[in-house]
Amino acid sequence: MAPRKIPNTVTFDDAEDEIRFTIAALKADPDTGDLVASTDDWMSIVDTARAEWRTCRQAIADTDAGRIVANHRFDMACTRFGDELYLAVGKDSSSRRWTQHFDRAVSRFVRMPLGKQLGRVLGWLSQSTDEVLARHRDKLELWTGKVKAALEATGATAIVRGRAWIGRETMAESLTAARDGLFETLAARARERDLGRDWPDIFFRKTPGRDEPAPGGEGGGIPPTDSPA
């Protein structure tokens, strides 16, 4: 009976443990010492996928942190502009000078969805000539640029996640194929040396490892920290 298929949800640590067990069993049996060399590249298969996963996790962390920092500083810039403008209009929130910039209290304005808030501020910067805005323009332009870049980077992480997941699938498929090949060699040797039908099975772990979900998931976020990175 061939060894079980390695699932693409296997953790890297468990994939390595599968390999270590097989290598140790090959070393322990007097009829298989010469087969140890056939596993020489197995760990590199895991290493490649692990490196891709680590790159994915770092990219997601960088993107999430960049977006959070940019959002906070953007809110600060909007709040400072709004507070000064509110005083400039005599705290009259119905004045046209106010409403052409804010349709709600500043505290509520900075809580709207980030993309919508960005669009509103870009509108001010392209259309408004208010003297208060002029004093805050540099900061607003700086952080609108940072927010725009952060939102674009967030969308781009989908590509990184996809690449990392393909790497895990490739790892699982490659290890499964390698283990199947070794099993066939062991089965042939068992027939040649009358070692029994069950003998090839002892070189593979019987208990499957833990599973873990795909990277990121909806809404972004860092993939599980269990063992992949």
Side-chain angles (χ1 to χ4, degrees):
M1 182 177 180
R4 72 181 184 283
K5 179 180 179 181
I6 298 294
N8 57 19
T9 52
V10 70
T11 68
F12 296 119
D13 284 352
D14 281 328
E16 289 183 355
D17 284 347
E18 294 281 355
I19 296 170
R20 290 190 182 96
F21 178 89
T22 295
I23 293 173
L26 292 172
K27 289 178 179 178
D29 194 293
D31 280 289
T32 55
D34 62 311
L35 297 179
V36 174
S38 67
T39 67
D40 284 350
D41 64 342
W42 289 17
M43 279 296 184
S44 66
I45 293 172
V46 180
D47 291 342
T48 297
R50 189 191 287 270
E52 193 75 60
W53 197 267
R54 185 179 295 113
T55 297
C56 173
R57 286 171 53 80
Q58 188 59 59
I60 292 172
D62 289 345
T63 299
D64 286 349
R67 187 182 61 253
I68 290 168
V69 169
N71 186 18
H72 184 79
R73 296 297 298 267
F74 183 48
D75 287 347
M76 287 175 58
C78 290
T79 298
R80 287 171 178 170
F81 163 60
D83 288 348
E84 185 174 342
L85 181 65
Y86 192 57
L87 294 176
V89 300
K91 300 184 179 181
D92 181 5
S93 59
S94 64
S95 72
R96 175 161 177 73
R97 187 179 176 189
W98 174 261
T99 58
Q100 69 178 350
H101 297 94
F102 294 95
D103 60 355
R104 65 197 73 188
V106 175
S107 60
R108 291 178 53 214
F109 180 86
V110 298
R111 290 199 301 269
M112 71 169 63
L114 185 55
K116 184 176 180 181
Q117 181 184 351
L118 175 64
R120 291 292 302 275
V121 176
L122 287 172
W124 303 344
L125 295 173
S126 64
Q127 299 171 19
S128 177
T129 58
D130 194 280
E131 62 183 25
V132 174
L133 179 65
R135 290 195 289 273
H136 292 266
R137 180 174 289 276
D138 287 350
K139 287 289 187 182
L140 289 169
E141 287 182 341
L142 171 64
W143 292 107
T144 52
K146 298 284 190 181
V147 166
K148 188 172 183 292
L151 291 176
E152 290 171 352
T154 298
T157 57
I159 297 173
V160 179
R161 290 191 190 97
R163 188 181 300 121
W165 188 245
I166 290 171
R168 293 180 70 84
E169 292 176 334
T170 300
M171 176 192 73
E173 292 168 0
S174 297
L175 288 179
T176 295
R179 282 153 55 91
D180 287 348
L182 176 61
F183 181 86
E184 292 301 322
T185 300
L186 292 168
R189 185 162 295 189
R191 291 189 295 270
E192 293 168 0
R193 305 183 185 183
D194 194 24
L195 297 170
R197 293 183 61 193
D198 296 336
W199 179 73
D201 296 337
I202 68 174
F203 297 90
F204 305 94
R205 287 204 311 174
K206 301 298 184 294
T207 304
R210 299 159 291 168
D211 287 351
E212 70 183 15
E218 291 187 8
I222 303 175
T225 58
D226 180 16
S227 62

